[in-house]
């Protein structure tokens, strides 16, 4: 068991190493920020990260699950701790005005030029992985076990975790005893937020095609109008949350895309919908998806649709449940390091992550027992801005600040970057020291 003095020394050593490596991490972060890449296209990003990890003497494997990177440091007997950072960016035009803002664009398969931005701070997460790698390498004689770092592609489309698992993440590399991950958010920079148990929602994005029989706008009787069917579908779907879901549960059903037709005098042949479903309970989630399909089939029948509707799951992920014992363990380590005043109780978020797939043996498809995980949050709002923001609690202030995916969102200030490294290193050492 560690004594007070040893605890203090380790804390001091983490801080000193984080300081020593900070400029390198900041440089890497700014480079990544300037050159964002879309999910599964993180070629330059992953090469930079892999090079940086290799130069720190990690055993690096590239191209895991597409562009994923796995870095290992074997350091004697003990646990295997996996730290995860994601790498992908978004099709958003950056408006932060930073001198290292992105001007990058890419051309989609249909020939459109789209802007690119790290608007969710995944550049920050993967830079923190490298910063933590440097701290852990420098402190090698103070811990034992195996450190496994992963830079994951395609979080935004819930594809990367699954791709890495399908590429043998836990067969080709050690199966971890614990997985740690983090995300930035609008909270005071320098603070770390924890939440035990249910933390983030399950999410399914469903595409639907409703078939009609197109024709002249003046002769509706000779057609089947998919616009009218789609309109009924959108309205009727609202009754799932209000009439089929117990009031104490949180479920969202949003029709985010509804597309049919080209001009006023043509009744189109089909209508396309995209539906976003969120919930915190995997069983209830499947029930809601089943209800959506039942209602759409029934509305198609009611509207004389000549063909059954088609459903396509665009992407999906499960709810995030932080392991309560592991959260306590990590929170304790963070309290020792950052002090109680710099920790906050994270409210449950309706956003979603593919991180939980890495710990769920059944849905993750890797078999055996689930792997416990802790996913915490690091504040990204500078102190001055935070003080001026309306409200007292994190939840209240959050409503007045830019959120991830905004063209103005910028989490990569120096305090947040430093906190991300220290939170990861402290979390890892809580299992390895
Ligand atoms: Zn994100």
């Amino acid at each position: 068991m560690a004594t007070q003095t040893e605890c203090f020394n380790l804390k001091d050593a983490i801080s000193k190493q984080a300081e020593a490596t900070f400029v390198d991490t900041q440089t890497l972060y700014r480079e990544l920020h300037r050159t964002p890449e879309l999910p599964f296209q993180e070629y330059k990003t992953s090469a930079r990260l892999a090079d940086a990890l290799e130069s720190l003497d990690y055993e690096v494997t590239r191209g895991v699950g597409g562009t994923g990177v796995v870095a290992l440091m074997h350091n004697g007997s003990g646990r295997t701790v996996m730290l995860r950072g994601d790498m992908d960016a978004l099709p958003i035009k950056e408006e932060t005005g930073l001198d290292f803002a992105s001007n990058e664009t890419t051309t989609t398969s249909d020939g459109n030029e789209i802007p690119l931005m790290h608007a969710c701070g995944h550049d920050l997460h993967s830079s923190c992985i490298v910063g933590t790698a440097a701290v852990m390498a420098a402190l090698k004689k103070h811990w034992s076990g195996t450190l496994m770092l992963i830079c994951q592609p395609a979080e935004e489309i819930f594809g990367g975790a699954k791709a890495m698992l399908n590429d043998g993440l836990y067969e080709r590399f050690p199966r971890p005893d614990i997985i740690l991950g983090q995300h930035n958010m609008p909270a005071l920079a320098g603070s770390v937020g924890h939440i035990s148990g249910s933390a983030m929602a399950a999410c399914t994005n469903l595409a639907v095609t409703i078939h009609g029989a197109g024709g002249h706008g003046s002769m509706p009787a000779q057609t089947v109008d998919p616009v009218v069917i789609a309109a009924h579908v959108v309205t009727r779907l609202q009754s799932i949350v209000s009439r089929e879901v117990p009031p104490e549960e949180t479920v969202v059903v949003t029709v985010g895309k509804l597309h049919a037709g080209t001009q006023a005098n043509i009744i189109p042949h089909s209508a396309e919908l995209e539906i976003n479903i969120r919930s915190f309970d995997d069983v209830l989630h499947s029930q809601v998806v089943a209800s959506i399909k039942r209602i759409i089939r029934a509305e198609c029948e009611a509207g004389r649709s000549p063909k059954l509707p088609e459903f396509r799951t665009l992407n999906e992920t499960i709810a995030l449940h932080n392991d309560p014992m592991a959260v306590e363990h990590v929170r304790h380590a963070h309290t020792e390091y950052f002090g109680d005043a710099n920790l906050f109780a994270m409210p449950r978020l309706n956003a979603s992550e593919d991180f939980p797939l890495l710990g769920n043996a059944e849905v993750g498809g890797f078999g055996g027992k689930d792997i416990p995980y802790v996913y915490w949050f690091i504040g990204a709002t500078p102190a001055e801005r935070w003080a001026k923001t309306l409200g007292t609690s994190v939840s209240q202030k959050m409503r007045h600040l830019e959120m991830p995916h905004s063209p103005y969102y910028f989490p990569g200030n120096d305090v947040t970057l430093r906190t991300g490294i220290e939170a990861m290193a402290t979390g890892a050492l809580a299992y390895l020291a």
Side-chain angles (χ1 to χ4, degrees), residues 86 120-122 125 155-156 183-184 353 375 404-405:
D86 40 13
C120 202
H122 296 184
H125 304 157
E155 186 282 327
E156 294 291 354
H183 206 292
N184 67 88
E353 248 289 353
Y375 188 81
H405 298 205

Side-chain angles (χ1 to χ4, degrees), residues 17 46 126 192 300 395 404:
Q17 290 307 326
S46 63
S126 49
V192 182
C300 284
S395 305

Side-chain angles (χ1 to χ4, degrees), residues 37-43 45-46 64-69 84-90 118 120 122 126 151-164 314-317 352-355 357-358:
E37 294 173 294
L38 287 178
F40 287 126
Q41 293 171 28
E42 308 90 339
Y43 304 111
T45 306
S46 63
V64 181
T67 49
V69 178
R84 178 268 207 172
D86 40 13
M87 304 187 285
D88 54 324
L90 291 153
H118 268 295
C120 202
H122 296 184
S126 49
C151 297
Q152 185 209 295
E155 186 282 327
E156 294 291 354
I157 56 166
F158 308 141
K162 195 79 182 137
M164 289 188 85
L314 297 171
N315 50 55
E316 61 185 338
T317 188
S352 309
E353 248 289 353
D354 69 354
F355 176 80
L357 293 169
L358 297 166

